[in-house]
Amino acid sequence: MKVHEKRGHPHASDEEKKVTRKQKAESKSQESGQSPKKPKTEGDNEQANGKSNAADIAAEFEKFCKATSEHLSIKQMREILEANGRDASVSDDAVVPRCQDILFYGPLDPCPVCGGTLEFSGDGYQCQGAYSEWSSCVYSTRDPPRREEPLNIPESVGKTRVSDLIEKHRDPKSRLKREITGQDKPFAGMMITLSGRLSRTHQYWKTKIEKNGGKVANSVIGATCLVVSPTERDRGGSSKVAEAVERSIPVVREAWLADSIEKKEALALDAYDVASDIAVYGKGIALDKQDSSVVALETVAAELKVFGKRGVHKDTKLQDEGGTILEKDGVLYNCVLTVCDQGRDMNDFCIMQLIMARENRLHLYYKKGKIGDSLRADDKLEEWENLNDAIKEFAKLFEELTGNEFEPWEREKKIQKKHLKFFPIDIDDGVEVRHGGLGLRQLGVAAAHCKLDPKVANFMKVLCSQEIYRYALMEMGYDSPEVPVGMLTDFHLKRCEEILLYFVDKLKSSKETGKQEEASWADFSQRWFTLLPTTRPLSFKDFGELADHAASSYEAIRDINTASRLIGDMSGSTLDDPLFDRYVKLGCSVSPLEKETDDYKMIVKYLEKTYEPVTVGDTSYGVSVDNIFAVEVSACPSLDDIKKLPNKVLLWCGTRSSNLSRHLQMGFLPATCALPAPGYMFGRAIVCSDAAAEAARYGYTAVDRPEGFLVLAVASLGEEIQEFSSPPEDTKSLEEKKIGAKGLGKKKTDESEHFVWKDDIKVPCGKLIPSEYKDSPLEYNEYAVYDPQQVSIRFLVAVKFEEQDVEYETVEPEV
C-alpha cells in the first residue's frame, strides 16, 4: 500500500539497517554507473511500510485534531467551512470533525452521483444528499474526490496559535492521503465448528470462513460457536450440539455465516440461536438483525394489529369497548404511513387513528416504530374532549410526518413524496385475510358443517384459512402485523405496478454504469419498500432479484388482496356454512376426480413422467398425489370453446396456494412486466410448462408444510408459434400480435411418448431428456400465451412433497 505524500519515511528498525554483501555490491555498481537488479523483496517492504505509514498519518491527524480543538472556536470552524463551500449549519458536534477533515486532508468535492455532501463515518465517506424525494443517496467510498486547490482560510483563523499548523496542510502538494481500513473479514479471530447436514458442503463453508478471517475446528472445545442446520433441534441434536450446550458455546443456524459475510460483520450469535428456549422477543435484538427463519416463526403467528380501513388497532384495547374509527364528512381518520430509506437506515411505520369509544369518548392513537419490530415501537393513546381539536391534532401530525395536508390525500389521493418523510399506504375498507380467514380451531368445524362434497369442503377450507396467506406473506417478508398489505386499495396496487414498469423501462434504456447505476437500483428499492413495506428490505442488484422480490411478490400480494375480498370476515360462527357461501362467490365449479377414471390416470402419468425432485440444499423432495379436481372457471373459456382454437396443449402451471382463489375466480393474468428471468422473459404473458418439475418450483412450500397445488390448463398457442432459445429482444411485438411463444429449455420431454387428449389437445407427456439447447437460460420448456381467453384452467392437482433418501445419523448413548 503506497501513501502518496511528501514527508520522511519512518525510522528503520535494526533489521532494516543491516546491509548484506549483495547490497554493498549493488551500491558499488551504482557508483560505477551500472544498473543493479532490483531486489525481489523491495515491493514487499514498501507494502509492509504502507501499514506503518497509514498508522503514522492517523496519529498525526489525531494530534492535529487535538490542537485545533484547543485553539479554534466553533465559530471559527464554521467560518472555515463557509469559506470553502461546506454546509456550516449543522450541530456543533458535526462541525468539528467536518472542519478538521478538510483542514488536514483537503476540501472534498461533491458526491459524484447526486452532488450532495460527503461525510466521514468511521469506515468511509458517505453521501448525505438525496438521490430523489424517495431515497437518500447511498454512495460511499474510502477514497473521496478532493479539490486540488489551496484552502480558503479566514482572517480570524490566521491569528491563532495553530495558524502555522493549518498553513502546513493548506497547499495540495503537502497534503497526506487518508488511508481507511475496512472490516472486510467478519470472522477474524474466530474459531468456528460445523456439524451435520448443511445446505452447502462443509468444505464450501471452510473455504468461505477462512477467506473471511476465521478458522474451522473439528472439536467444539475452544470454538466461538457451533454452526448446524435449523432442523438439528427438532431431531434432538448431535453429540456436538449436546457438548456445545453443556459448555455454553452458542449453537447457531447456518444463516449466520451467510448473513455475516453479506453484511461484512459478525452478526449477533443470539439472533441465530438454535439451542436456547428463550423467545425471540426476549433477546433484545431488532428483527432485521435476526435470522429470517427465526423471525418467520414469530411473525407468522403474530396477531394482525390493523386489519383494514375500519380496523381499530389491537393495542388500544378499545375494540373491546365497541370502539370505531371516526368517520366525518365521508373521511375515515385512520392512516398507515411508512418510509424506507436505506441511506439513513430507516424502515419505519406509523399508525394514526381517531377512535370513538363508549359514551362518545374520543381517543387519538399514535404508534411509531421499525417495521416488524412493534414490540419496541413507541405508542400513546390520548383522550380528547373536543372533536375539532382532535381532528386538528390528527391533521397536524399527518402534515409533520408526510409534509402534506391530510384532507387532499383522503379525499382525492393527492400527495407528493417528500425526502425522509413518511408516505401513506392506502388501505381499503374491508378485512385482511390474516384476520378474517379461518383460524386453526375453526377449520375442522367449518368443514364438518359444509354441504359440499367432503373433498371439495376440505379444499375450500384450505383456500379460506389464514395459514396459507400468513405463510406466503412471511416467506416474501411482507408480514408486518402493523401494515395490512393484504387489504390495499386498487389505487395503491396500481401505483406499485406503475413504479415497477417505469423502473423496468428505465433499465432497458439506461446507459448508466458503476455508482450511477447502483444509485438508480437503490432508489427503486427504497421507493418499492416504502410502497410495499417489508420486514426484510434489500437493495435490488439484478433482474433475478427484481423478478423474485418485486414482480412475483407484487403479483402474490395482488392475489392475496383478491382473496381477502372474497373471504371477508369468517371469524364468527361456522355453523351457517361459510365455506359453501365462499364457494358460490368463487364462481367456479370444483369436482373431485375418482382414481379409476381415465383423466385421473392420465394426469398421474403426466406428473410422474415430467417431474424431477425439488432440491433444497442437499435434500431432494419427491411428490405424491393426494387429490385431483376437475374445475370449470367461469372467467376462462369452456373446454368446448377452447377446442375451437388452434394448437392446443395441456400444460402445467405453478402457483402459490395463496394465489389460487384469484385464479379460480378471475382466471390467469399475464405477468406484470418483461424481465430476462424465468417466468418473465416473454413479457406480459401467461407462462406454463410441459414439465411438472417447473410447476413444482412455484408450488413447493416448505418441509413443515408439504402440501401444495399444481395446475393443469389447456392453452391455445395460436396459428403462429415462435421458438426461442434465449430471451426475445422485443416482447412488445409478441404481446401486440398475441403470437404464441415457446422457450426451449435445457431439458425437453421425449416426443415419442406424447399423446392426444380430448380429440386434438396435445399432451407433451414424456420422460425428461437433455435437449440440444445446453446454454438456454431455461431449465425446462416454457410456453407463453398473451390472451387470457386462450387459456382454460382444467385441473387442480393436490400434491404432497416428500423428503427423499434421508439418512439420519444415529448417535450411541454415552456410557
Side-chain angles (χ1 to χ4, degrees):
M1 173 166 55
K2 289 186 177 180
V3 180
H4 302 286
E5 55 173 302
K6 290 191 176 181
R7 70 192 297 267
H9 288 287
H11 294 295
S13 66
D14 290 340
E15 284 294 317
E16 291 169 334
K17 288 177 181 177
K18 293 179 181 178
V19 182
T20 64
R21 291 178 182 175
K22 183 178 179 182
Q23 288 170 325
K24 287 179 180 178
E26 288 168 353
S27 297
K28 287 180 180 179
S29 63
Q30 283 178 336
E31 290 172 4
S32 63
Q34 298 176 9
S35 299
K37 291 183 179 179
K38 188 177 181 181
K40 292 182 179 179
T41 58
E42 186 177 279
D44 296 335
N45 290 339
E46 284 185 11
Q47 191 172 6
N49 285 341
K51 292 184 180 179
S52 177
N53 288 341
D56 289 347
I57 293 170
E60 187 175 337
F61 179 56
E62 189 176 342
K63 290 179 182 178
F64 179 86
C65 291
K66 185 176 181 182
T68 50
S69 294
E70 289 177 356
H71 299 291
L72 290 180
S73 66
I74 297 294
K75 181 181 178 183
Q76 288 172 318
M77 289 189 177
R78 290 187 190 277
E79 290 174 358
I80 292 170
L81 291 175
E82 289 171 356
N84 290 278
R86 292 278 288 178
D87 181 18
S89 61
V90 291
S91 66
D92 292 353
D93 291 339
V95 164
V96 177
R98 183 177 291 187
C99 179
Q100 290 168 339
D101 180 87
I102 68 168
L103 284 175
F104 191 84
Y105 295 110
L108 289 159
D109 274 337
C111 169
V113 172
C114 74
T117 301
L118 297 178
E119 197 79 57
F120 184 67
S121 62
D123 60 349
Y125 288 80
Q126 310 288 331
C127 179
Q128 303 302 302
Y131 185 82
S132 75
E133 68 273 23
W134 291 89
S135 64
S136 293
C137 183
V138 294
Y139 174 79
S140 64
T141 180
R142 292 179 183 172
D143 186 17
R146 295 187 186 268
R147 299 203 298 270
E148 291 295 324
E149 59 186 45
L151 280 168
N152 297 316
I153 305 298
E155 290 184 14
S156 62
V157 177
K159 301 173 183 178
T160 63
R161 291 185 182 183
V162 288
S163 58
D164 290 343
L165 184 60
I166 291 173
E167 191 65 31
K168 175 184 174 183
H169 297 280
R170 189 172 175 230
D171 186 351
K173 294 180 181 179
S174 64
R175 289 182 191 135
L176 304 176
K177 183 178 179 181
R178 190 167 202 167
E179 297 286 353
I180 303 168
T181 56
Q183 297 178 351
D184 291 332
K185 297 193 174 181
F187 304 137
M190 289 187 171
M191 186 71 73
I192 299 169
T193 303
L194 307 173
S195 177
R197 187 183 62 214
L198 304 175
S199 68
R200 307 300 291 264
T201 65
H202 284 211
Q203 184 57 43
Y204 169 87
W205 281 124
K206 185 176 186 292
T207 303
K208 285 285 188 181
I209 290 167
E210 290 175 349
K211 184 179 178 181
N212 286 274
K215 293 183 179 180
V216 175
N218 292 325
S219 172
V220 171
I221 301 172
T224 306
C225 64
L226 172 65
V227 177
V228 301
S229 163
T231 59
E232 195 76 34
R233 177 174 178 168
D234 299 333
R235 293 171 176 168
S238 64
S239 57
K240 277 187 178 179
V241 172
E243 185 178 3
V245 171
E246 186 178 332
R247 294 177 179 272
S248 299
I249 293 170
V251 181
V252 297
R253 292 169 179 81
E254 183 180 6
W256 175 78
L257 292 172
D259 293 351
S260 296
I261 291 170
E262 180 185 354
K263 297 187 178 181
K264 296 183 179 180
E265 63 173 319
L267 300 177
L269 293 167
D270 284 352
Y272 296 80
D273 176 66
V274 168
S276 172
D277 286 318
I278 301 174
V280 172
Y281 55 78
K283 294 180 178 178
I285 301 168
L287 285 182
D288 63 333
K289 303 296 182 187
Q290 296 184 30
D291 177 8
S292 59
S293 63
V294 179
V295 176
L297 296 175
E298 292 298 309
T299 57
V300 78
E303 185 178 35
L304 194 64
K305 304 287 186 172
V306 181
F307 57 78
K309 192 69 175 176
R310 296 180 184 273
V312 174
H313 198 286
K314 294 287 184 181
D315 290 349
T316 66
K317 308 298 183 185
L318 293 176
Q319 69 275 12
D320 300 333
E321 300 180 20
T324 57
I325 300 295
L326 174 68
E327 184 173 9
K328 187 174 185 292
D329 299 329
V331 173
L332 277 168
Y333 287 84
N334 182 11
C335 286
V336 178
L337 312 171
T338 65
V339 60
C340 179
D341 193 295
Q342 294 167 345
R344 298 292 180 271
D345 194 28
M346 296 174 67
N347 188 42
D348 300 342
F349 74 91
C350 183
I351 309 289
M352 294 167 49
Q353 296 186 331
L354 277 178
I355 306 164
M356 292 294 296
R358 287 178 187 166
E359 300 173 357
N360 291 326
R361 288 187 292 121
L362 184 62
H363 300 265
L364 173 58
Y365 183 69
Y366 175 89
K367 186 171 186 179
K368 185 179 177 183
K370 201 170 187 68
I371 290 172
D373 208 5
S374 57
L375 287 167
R376 295 172 182 80
D378 296 323
D379 64 342
K380 59 182 178 180
L381 182 66
E382 298 176 338
E383 187 170 344
W384 288 72
E385 294 182 0
N386 186 284
L387 176 63
N388 290 330
D389 288 346
I391 289 175
K392 285 179 182 178
E393 180 65 17
F394 185 95
K396 178 186 172 185
L397 284 171
F398 183 90
E399 187 168 353
E400 287 176 358
L401 291 163
T402 67
N404 289 260
E405 294 181 4
F406 173 68
E407 286 272 340
W409 159 249
E410 274 301 321
R411 293 190 183 281
E412 303 172 43
K413 304 306 175 190
K414 290 183 179 178
I415 195 163
Q416 183 180 1
K417 178 69 172 70
K418 301 292 179 68
H419 185 228
L420 297 180
K421 294 288 188 178
F422 284 80
F423 194 82
I425 304 298
D426 200 24
I427 305 300
D428 210 354
D429 192 355
V431 179
E432 204 214 273
V433 67
R434 283 185 291 169
H435 174 80
L438 292 173
L440 289 174
R441 295 180 180 178
Q442 296 176 290
L443 297 175
V445 177
H449 290 88
C450 184
K451 56 191 168 194
L452 293 168
D453 179 281
K455 289 182 179 178
V456 178
N458 279 320
F459 169 69
M460 287 303 301
K461 179 182 72 176
V462 173
L463 285 195
C464 294
S465 71
Q466 295 180 10
E467 185 182 31
I468 59 172
Y469 305 100
R470 284 182 174 272
Y471 272 105
L473 291 172
M474 175 272 290
E475 286 159 1
M476 296 184 293
Y478 292 99
D479 52 340
S480 168
E482 307 286 350
V483 187
V485 294
M487 203 63 226
L488 303 174
T489 62
D490 291 338
F491 171 81
H492 192 86
L493 290 168
K494 187 66 177 175
R495 188 196 292 270
C496 295
E497 184 180 9
E498 287 172 353
I499 282 185
L500 175 61
L501 293 175
Y502 167 78
F503 182 65
V504 170
D505 288 342
K506 179 182 176 181
L507 277 178
K508 291 177 180 177
S509 60
S510 175
K511 296 180 181 178
E512 293 176 335
T513 57
K515 294 292 185 180
Q516 288 285 354
E517 185 182 22
E518 289 178 20
S520 183
W521 279 92
D523 179 59
F524 169 75
S525 305
Q526 293 169 82
R527 290 177 189 233
W528 187 255
F529 292 124
T530 293
L531 289 172
L532 285 178
T534 176
T535 54
R536 301 190 292 276
L538 66 136
S539 185
F540 294 106
K541 294 183 179 66
D542 55 47
F543 288 111
E545 290 183 348
L546 204 61
D548 292 341
H549 301 293
S552 66
S553 293
Y554 163 76
E555 291 163 359
I557 289 171
R558 176 199 64 197
D559 292 353
I560 290 173
N561 272 263
T562 301
S564 292
R565 290 170 176 81
L566 171 76
I567 293 168
D569 189 359
M570 298 177 72
S571 59
S573 172
T574 56
L575 298 178
D576 55 353
D577 201 356
L579 291 179
F580 180 76
D581 177 68
R582 271 60 176 187
Y583 177 80
V584 172
K585 286 183 180 179
L586 198 60
C588 171
S589 169
V590 181
S591 307
L593 285 181
E594 296 299 327
K595 293 184 178 181
E596 296 75 22
T597 62
D598 291 340
D599 284 349
Y600 191 101
K601 293 175 182 177
M602 180 270 292
I603 292 168
V604 171
K605 178 183 177 181
Y606 193 6
L607 174 65
E608 291 175 346
K609 286 279 187 179
T610 64
Y611 182 80
E612 288 184 329
V614 174
T615 302
V616 181
D618 294 332
T619 308
S620 296
Y621 294 89
V623 70
S624 62
V625 176
D626 271 357
N627 281 299
I628 299 177
F629 298 95
V631 296
E632 191 73 43
V633 179
S634 58
C636 294
S638 67
L639 186 60
D640 290 337
D641 288 337
I642 205 162
K643 284 175 73 173
K644 300 172 185 177
L645 302 177
N647 286 321
K648 300 171 291 296
V649 190
L650 185 65
L651 297 170
W652 295 101
C653 306
T655 185
R656 293 176 182 269
S657 300
S658 59
N659 296 12
L660 272 179
S661 293
R662 197 222 167 278
H663 299 333
L664 296 178
Q665 188 179 31
M666 301 181 182
F668 285 137
L669 272 182
T672 305
C673 57
L675 293 167
Y680 293 92
M681 62 184 278
F682 298 107
R684 298 174 74 92
I686 297 167
V687 181
C688 304
S689 177
D690 55 19
E694 177 67 14
R697 289 180 174 186
Y698 297 91
Y700 175 77
T701 49
V703 182
D704 56 339
R705 292 175 290 110
E707 297 83 8
F709 292 92
L710 305 181
V711 182
L712 273 172
V714 177
S716 167
L717 300 176
E719 295 286 356
E720 183 183 351
I721 304 171
Q722 290 192 15
E723 294 186 344
F724 299 90
S725 58
S726 60
E729 293 183 5
D730 180 22
T731 60
K732 288 188 177 178
S733 62
L734 294 172
E735 294 170 20
E736 291 168 359
K737 297 175 183 177
K738 292 184 169 42
I739 296 172
K742 180 179 179 181
L744 303 167
K746 296 186 181 100
K747 296 177 183 178
K748 64 180 181 180
T749 56
D750 188 343
E751 292 187 17
S752 66
E753 299 182 53
H754 293 186
F755 55 85
V756 174
W757 176 69
K758 299 291 184 184
D759 300 330
D760 65 344
I761 297 171
K762 183 178 179 181
V763 183
C765 172
K767 182 181 178 182
L768 290 169
I769 57 176
S771 74
E772 55 269 40
Y773 304 101
K774 296 178 181 178
D775 296 327
S776 171
L778 303 175
E779 190 70 20
Y780 310 98
N781 293 337
E782 289 187 359
Y783 299 77
V785 178
Y786 294 93
D787 184 355
Q789 288 305 304
Q790 290 177 222
V791 181
S792 179
I793 300 173
R794 305 312 308 168
F795 299 102
L796 284 179
V797 185
V799 297
K800 182 174 289 185
F801 295 94
E802 299 167 332
E803 200 170 355
Q804 292 185 328
D805 304 324
V806 182
E807 291 184 9
Y808 295 100
E809 180 183 350
T810 56
V811 179
E812 294 295 329
E814 295 183 5
V815 179

